[in-house]
Amino acid sequence: MKIVEIKVLKGPNYWSVRRTKLIQMKLDLEEMEQRPTNSIEGFRERLEKMFPTMIEHRCSVGARGGFFQRVEEGTWMGHVIEHIALEIQTLAGMDVGFGRTRTANEKEGVYYVCFTYMEEDAGVYAAKASVRIAESLTNGTEYNLDEDIQKLREIREDTRLGPSTGCIVEEAAKRNIPYIRLNKQSLVQLGYGVYQKRIRATIASTTSNIAVDIACDKEETKMLLEAAEIPVPRGTVIRTEAGLDEAISKFGYPLVIKPIDGNHGKGNTTNITTREQAQKAFEAAKSYSRSVIVERFITGYDFRCLVINNKFICAALRTPASVVGDGEHNIQWLINETNKDPRRGYGHEKVLTQITVDQFTQKMLDDAKITLETIPEKGERVLLKPTANLSTGGTSTDVTDEVHPANVFMFERIAKIIGLDICGIDVMATDLRTPVSENGGAILEVNAAPGFRMHIEPAEGLPRNVAEPVIDMLFPKGSVGRIPIIAVTGTNGKTTTTRLTAHIAKSAGKKVGYTTSDGVYIQNQLMMKGDCTGPISSTFVLKDPTVDFAVLECARGGILKSGLAFQNCDVGIVTNVAADHIGLGGIYTVEQMAKVKAVVPETVFPHGYAILNAEDDLVYAMKNDLKCNIALFSMDENNPRIKTHCAAGGLASVYENGYVTIMKGTWKIRVMAAKDIPLTYEGKAMHNIANCLPAVLATYLYRDISIDDIKLGLQTFMPGEALTPGRLNFFNFKNITFLADFAHNPHGLKLLCDFVSKLDYKTKVGVISGTGDRRDEDIMELGEISARYFDQIIIRCDKNLRGRTADEIIGLLKDGINKVNPHVPTMVIANENEALEYIYANQVPGALYTIMCDVVAGALDKIKELKAREEKEQ
């Protein structure tokens, strides 16, 4: 078996709009295509022995053990690999369950194996490992499954959001607030555009920088609290051993020594009772900070109290990792037994973390003059870590309901004194049921970015949803952090529709970000150049903090490669579906292509609108699977689908009696005469009238965009290389005219030629090309269309031949030309620039030269160069 390719789908996609995180593995079974599972001796038994938990896989049988039944009856290895990939992720603590295996329709034995993942890198690893495991099971060889499971756990811990950030993101997602992970660590954007907020762990974009700076300086924090009559331990800051001796003399034992700007307990040593311990603690703290705090050690219990948005939320009792002796077994045995607790796992996998023996553990044992072989007395507690962090095996107990009102007041006051909107307060006291100021306790530290895990998953007591008040603070009631999103897809007309829609929104005062096949624009400023119709470009717009309205062109390639960048949009436009890109990316029929395009309207919110072309059977049929409102557009107001839809009170836009008109039920709102819209070239460019219809309808759906705004947008959208590069761009020379257009498929070329046929030129010359990765019949059809419309033809070749030779493409174009009109004068100039130079040098007076652009910017630059040359020569 051979893995052909692996794609990571991160958003709504061809396989599933709801299950957005999918691995798509293209797998060639090779000789295994002829060996279903029931023909492999002992396969079922070996599979069940390695994965007994697969008994829960119901599969298409729909019952427990259903997958094993399928294996017994005989199924193909791609299906088995799908289930293995899901199971090994689940065994590694990532609960996933959706999968699909379908033939690639390419050649016998090639399949798409798709399955969900939680962490991208883990999903890719699972894909590769599942193939190795299947081969081992087939051959009956030994396989170390534990190694794969452990590796997946490590990948998960290295790449996943931590529990604190993760719970905030989950709470946001529950409220339908979108998020974007901004790096591989814990920086996350919540919301889109101008409404976005950011979090890094539990520091928010609303958190005061000066407050974080104060909290990170333990001595400054202590000074501010002491000045406000908050109980804090007596102590001082030192830098030298002489200072250490002075501190010991002044405060006596027991002591705490810690770095002045440390965090998470790093470099901290507690309950120091000897000069030797103090020296070691001083050196440990100095490794983290030049200055070191020496404080009187406060006896009692370690509590963490959480204040969010100046309101007390919860409190937890923290206990360092420890074991309790039974009088029979040594410390190492007790650690091993403790780690067998099913609540303990690797990293943040479960409620508790497994206890590991590290340098801190060894130091504590050394200080206590014991070893891992020591047998503690029955009931004796042996501490194994100096701090109570859950990530090192500590435990937490929720004590929120026990906190005295005086302590609640003090905690909220502390948060305001330091200025933290998310504030963790470390308290050492006998309890929190009595005021800390009365029970001899003290505030040890104030923490920016406090960990949430101890509160959301306490070992004992009530879990607290501490993410809720964070989201309440960042997104007050009624706010979901979203900007309007209009998504545009289809075979032809996408870019013009996108640009016009964005321009109308801009005319209404919106700060628009939009993506097109020639670049990404933020408020009409070009930010990225090239084909920007995929999820990376959409994400670029949604991340921009100046954008309050997004119009996103979403092409086939991006949907198939990675899925959409957004989970939902407000309006989804489908212009049309034609036979372009057939045979690429596993799409072999125009019906399959329609399914790709349908991903966009399927993401529309239930309250939003899918705007569909009523004249296109495949597009119109999409409405049957949608759960949103439907609006239609057509160049014919008498289209039966339009009439039926509007009779039922539906919304539509049509071309009627020379007007671009909105239909609200049976009422008409005539927006503008088509001939007065510059984009239509006095009504001659019928395909641009068609592009106006969904743009007008989409913007009309927004209450704060008026008909006057729409009219202004239509009037001021001037076709040309500035606003519509590569779309009907005219360049007038002294004796000839160039018309540059990005038409690159039969459907688009036919629309272009229909427009050209209405123009009054003596001679019409077509400069045509074919795209190498299209079907033979598609390339030939370009030749056929050209032969019907042009008086002369020049064949050129694209810079990127996409898997064919120039001779192949030229031959197919000639076949198409000869099929229709073998007498049309035809010549071949393979290089586009050379073809343009030839035209300039051999001008036919009064001729229109229509150029199918390959690289739009390159063609336009060359034409402008020739124009400048002509002006210089005059």
Side-chain angles (χ1 to χ4, degrees):
M1 293 184 289
K2 179 177 69 177
I3 296 174
V4 179
E5 66 176 6
I6 295 175
K7 290 181 179 178
V8 180
L9 306 179
K10 303 176 183 180
N13 56 75
Y14 180 78
W15 303 100
S16 176
V17 173
R18 186 165 61 88
R19 300 175 180 90
T20 57
K21 298 173 73 171
L22 286 177
I23 296 294
Q24 177 185 298
M25 175 169 56
K26 190 175 181 180
L27 181 67
D28 187 346
L29 295 186
E30 298 178 324
E31 72 279 356
M32 291 304 297
E33 172 67 4
Q34 309 305 323
R35 298 184 66 192
T37 52
N38 61 347
S39 69
I40 304 171
E41 186 176 350
F43 184 87
R44 153 76 191 267
E45 291 75 15
R46 291 191 293 271
L47 178 68
E48 193 164 358
K49 181 179 179 182
M50 182 178 282
F51 297 105
T53 48
M54 271 193 187
I55 191 71
E56 302 299 335
H57 290 216
R58 303 168 72 87
C59 204
S60 57
V61 176
R64 189 170 185 268
F67 174 61
F68 285 145
Q69 182 180 327
R70 289 289 310 277
V71 172
E72 186 70 28
E73 295 168 351
T75 189
W76 269 259
M77 202 53 65
H79 183 206
V80 174
I81 287 169
E82 168 205 321
H83 280 264
I84 292 174
L86 292 169
E87 186 63 15
I88 60 177
Q89 289 183 87
T90 300
L91 292 173
M94 294 169 282
D95 192 14
V96 291
F98 172 81
R100 287 284 183 273
T101 300
R102 299 290 185 267
T103 178
N105 293 316
E106 192 173 285
K107 68 172 187 176
E108 187 180 44
V110 179
Y111 293 85
Y112 285 117
V113 179
C114 302
F115 57 87
T116 44
Y117 66 88
M118 289 182 67
E119 302 301 327
E120 178 180 328
D121 291 348
V124 172
Y125 184 92
K128 296 175 180 178
S130 61
V131 175
R132 295 195 300 267
I133 293 167
E135 288 174 335
S136 174
L137 289 168
T138 299
N139 299 327
T141 56
E142 291 294 320
Y143 191 87
N144 189 344
L145 181 62
D146 291 341
E147 188 177 297
D148 279 338
I149 302 303
Q150 182 58 28
K151 181 63 178 177
L152 283 167
R153 285 175 175 149
E154 291 170 3
I155 293 172
R156 180 200 69 212
E157 291 304 304
D158 286 343
T159 58
R160 74 187 297 191
L161 291 171
S164 300
T165 313
C167 75
I168 295 173
V169 169
E170 287 172 13
E171 180 65 24
K174 285 178 188 174
R175 304 188 192 191
N176 210 17
I177 297 169
Y179 69 92
I180 301 172
R181 190 168 179 177
L182 298 176
N183 64 9
K184 292 186 177 181
Q185 286 75 47
S186 57
L187 183 62
V188 178
Q189 174 183 316
L190 304 176
Y192 289 150
V194 294
Y195 302 117
Q196 67 180 268
K197 305 291 184 184
R198 290 180 181 176
I199 58 170
R200 187 198 295 274
T202 58
I203 293 179
S205 50
T206 55
T207 303
S208 162
N209 184 279
I210 192 171
V212 174
D213 192 56
I214 291 169
C216 288
D217 188 327
K218 292 179 171 57
E219 185 61 18
E220 191 166 24
T221 299
K222 182 179 174 182
M223 179 193 70
L224 289 173
L225 295 182
E226 193 170 20
E229 295 298 325
I230 303 293
V232 294
R234 295 171 58 226
T236 188
V237 177
I238 65 170
R239 288 192 176 187
T240 65
E241 290 187 25
L244 176 63
D245 290 332
E246 289 179 16
I248 293 172
S249 175
K250 182 176 181 179
F251 302 116
Y253 297 113
L255 294 172
V256 174
I257 296 179
K258 55 189 176 182
I260 197 168
D261 53 2
N263 55 51
H264 301 295
K266 294 175 181 175
N268 292 12
T269 307
T270 60
N271 198 18
I272 297 165
T273 57
T274 68
R275 178 64 177 75
E276 181 183 358
Q277 290 176 351
Q279 180 64 35
K280 290 181 179 178
F282 175 70
E283 292 170 359
K286 287 281 282 185
S287 66
Y288 290 94
S289 175
R290 290 180 61 194
S291 298
V292 172
I293 294 176
V294 181
E295 290 178 342
R296 179 75 180 179
F297 178 62
I298 306 296
T299 57
Y301 295 102
D302 182 356
F303 296 96
R304 163 62 64 82
C305 305
L306 187 64
V307 177
I308 297 174
N309 201 19
N310 299 317
K311 183 173 178 59
F312 171 73
I313 301 300
C314 58
L317 168 65
R318 302 189 298 177
T319 306
S322 61
V323 293
V324 178
D326 62 1
E328 298 180 14
H329 299 94
N330 63 30
I331 293 172
Q332 182 63 65
W333 187 92
L334 294 170
I335 292 173
N336 294 342
E337 283 300 298
T338 300
N339 283 338
K340 290 179 182 178
D341 185 336
R343 297 176 300 168
R344 290 190 182 270
Y346 180 81
H348 299 308
E349 178 182 16
K350 298 181 179 179
V351 174
L352 300 174
T353 299
Q354 291 187 343
I355 301 171
T356 58
V357 176
D358 56 17
Q359 62 186 33
F360 299 107
T361 307
Q362 199 59 56
K363 181 178 182 303
M364 295 202 70
L365 296 177
D366 292 343
D367 290 345
K369 295 183 170 48
I370 57 178
T371 70
L372 292 171
E373 302 303 317
T374 300
I375 299 176
E377 295 292 327
K378 186 173 183 178
E380 179 186 354
R381 181 175 293 276
V382 180
L383 296 179
L384 300 170
K385 304 289 179 185
T387 60
N389 293 333
L390 269 66
S391 59
T392 60
T395 61
S396 68
T397 303
D398 179 75
V399 295
T400 303
D401 297 330
E402 300 176 6
V403 180
H404 192 279
N407 290 333
V408 170
F409 173 74
M410 180 179 68
F411 298 148
E412 293 177 349
R413 188 163 169 258
I414 288 170
K416 287 190 175 183
I417 290 168
I418 303 303
L420 288 172
D421 57 1
I422 302 175
C423 181
I425 301 166
D426 291 343
V427 184
M428 186 66 73
T430 53
D431 61 68
L432 295 180
R433 290 187 293 272
T434 57
V436 172
S437 57
E438 297 177 8
N439 64 20
I443 305 302
L444 302 183
E445 290 183 12
V446 177
N447 297 275
F452 283 0
R453 185 183 176 200
M454 69 188 76
H455 305 297
I456 59 177
E457 293 181 329
E460 297 178 32
L462 193 66
R464 305 286 174 170
N465 183 6
V466 295
E468 182 177 43
V470 174
I471 298 300
D472 287 341
M473 176 183 71
L474 297 177
F475 298 94
K477 194 172 183 179
S479 170
V480 293
R482 290 185 175 273
I483 61 174
I485 296 176
I486 297 177
V488 184
T489 193
T491 301
N492 292 306
K494 299 187 298 297
T495 298
T496 301
T497 301
T498 296
R499 282 182 167 276
L500 178 57
T501 303
H503 184 78
I504 294 172
K506 179 176 177 291
S507 299
K510 305 295 184 184
K511 295 179 174 61
V512 185
Y514 61 97
T515 64
T516 70
S517 57
D518 50 75
V520 175
Y521 297 80
I522 303 296
Q523 298 184 54
N524 268 18
Q525 297 293 313
L526 179 62
M527 297 294 167
M528 295 170 64
K529 200 171 185 178
D531 187 348
C532 296
T533 55
I536 293 175
S537 305
S538 294
T539 301
F540 183 95
V541 169
L542 298 174
K543 289 195 299 187
D544 193 284
T546 69
V547 170
D548 64 13
F549 200 100
V551 186
L552 307 174
E553 181 179 344
C554 303
R556 161 209 66 91
I559 296 172
L560 289 174
K561 185 177 181 180
S562 299
L564 295 174
F566 48 87
Q567 301 294 321
N568 297 102
C569 62
D570 303 283
V571 178
I573 297 172
V574 187
T575 59
N576 45 63
V577 177
D580 191 22
H581 297 97
I582 302 300
L584 301 177
I587 303 303
Y588 292 93
T589 67
V590 71
E591 288 75 20
Q592 287 179 315
M593 185 61 73
K595 183 181 176 183
V596 176
K597 305 293 185 181
V599 172
V600 168
E602 285 172 3
T603 67
V604 174
F605 281 116
H607 63 267
Y609 276 83
I611 299 179
L612 306 178
N613 186 344
E615 297 172 9
D616 188 310
D617 292 344
L618 290 171
V619 175
Y620 181 74
M622 292 177 186
K623 72 181 184 64
N624 299 325
D625 297 319
L626 301 180
K627 298 178 181 178
C628 61
N629 298 302
I630 306 296
L632 302 176
F633 68 94
S634 172
M635 291 291 286
D636 178 11
E637 71 165 321
N638 293 313
N639 182 309
R641 292 166 176 171
I642 293 287
K643 296 185 77 171
T644 301
H645 178 70
C646 291
L651 192 64
S653 58
V654 296
Y655 177 53
E656 57 87 27
N657 293 315
Y659 283 86
V660 170
T661 298
I662 294 171
M663 302 280 292
K664 292 182 69 175
T666 56
W667 293 97
K668 293 181 180 179
I669 303 173
R670 284 184 170 171
V671 180
M672 185 176 288
K675 65 181 178 59
D676 295 332
I677 300 172
L679 183 63
T680 71
Y681 291 91
E682 299 179 336
K684 294 185 180 75
M686 300 300 288
H687 63 290
N688 273 348
I689 298 176
N691 291 333
C692 289
L693 298 178
V696 165
L697 192 53
T699 49
Y700 176 75
L701 292 169
Y702 292 91
R703 292 181 179 178
D704 53 354
I705 298 179
S706 68
I707 291 293
D708 287 339
D709 292 326
I710 296 172
K711 288 181 178 179
L712 178 63
L714 293 173
Q715 288 171 335
T716 57
F717 189 73
M718 307 303 295
E721 61 167 314
L723 291 181
T724 58
R727 275 76 184 172
L728 298 189
N729 297 162
F730 283 90
F731 296 86
N732 296 310
F733 285 63
K734 183 179 179 181
N735 297 316
I736 62 172
T737 300
F738 281 110
L739 170 57
D741 196 274
F742 187 57
H744 59 284
N745 57 54
H747 184 265
L749 182 59
K750 176 68 166 58
L751 294 172
L752 173 62
C753 289
D754 285 342
F755 169 64
V756 169
S757 70
K758 297 173 185 176
L759 302 179
D760 187 18
Y761 288 90
K762 293 180 180 179
T763 306
K764 296 171 183 176
V765 182
V767 183
I768 69 170
S769 63
T771 307
D773 58 4
R774 304 305 199 268
R775 299 176 301 177
D776 288 0
E777 56 265 41
D778 296 330
I779 299 174
M780 286 179 62
E781 191 176 354
L782 293 173
E784 294 173 22
I785 295 168
S786 300
R788 291 190 185 100
Y789 285 90
F790 294 119
D791 303 313
Q792 298 176 29
I793 296 173
I794 298 173
I795 298 175
R796 64 162 191 84
C797 289
D798 291 347
K799 289 182 179 180
N800 183 354
L801 298 177
R802 305 192 187 193
R804 291 186 189 259
T805 66
D807 288 343
E808 280 183 278
I809 297 171
I810 292 167
L812 289 167
L813 288 170
K814 283 184 174 180
D815 288 345
I817 293 168
N818 292 331
K819 181 178 177 182
V820 172
N821 183 2
H823 304 296
V824 63
T826 302
M827 65 185 303
V828 176
I829 305 176
N831 182 277
E832 182 175 67
N833 283 350
E834 291 177 7
L836 294 173
E837 287 282 1
Y838 174 84
I839 293 168
Y840 183 77
N842 299 273
Q843 299 179 20
V844 177
L848 173 68
Y849 292 87
T850 302
I851 305 158
M852 293 175 63
C853 298
D854 168 23
V855 180
V856 170
L860 299 188
D861 287 345
K862 183 62 181 179
I863 294 171
K864 286 187 285 185
E865 177 196 317
L866 294 174
K867 178 67 175 173
R869 188 190 305 173
E870 180 185 68
E871 291 172 352
K872 188 176 181 181
E873 290 171 350
Q874 289 177 356

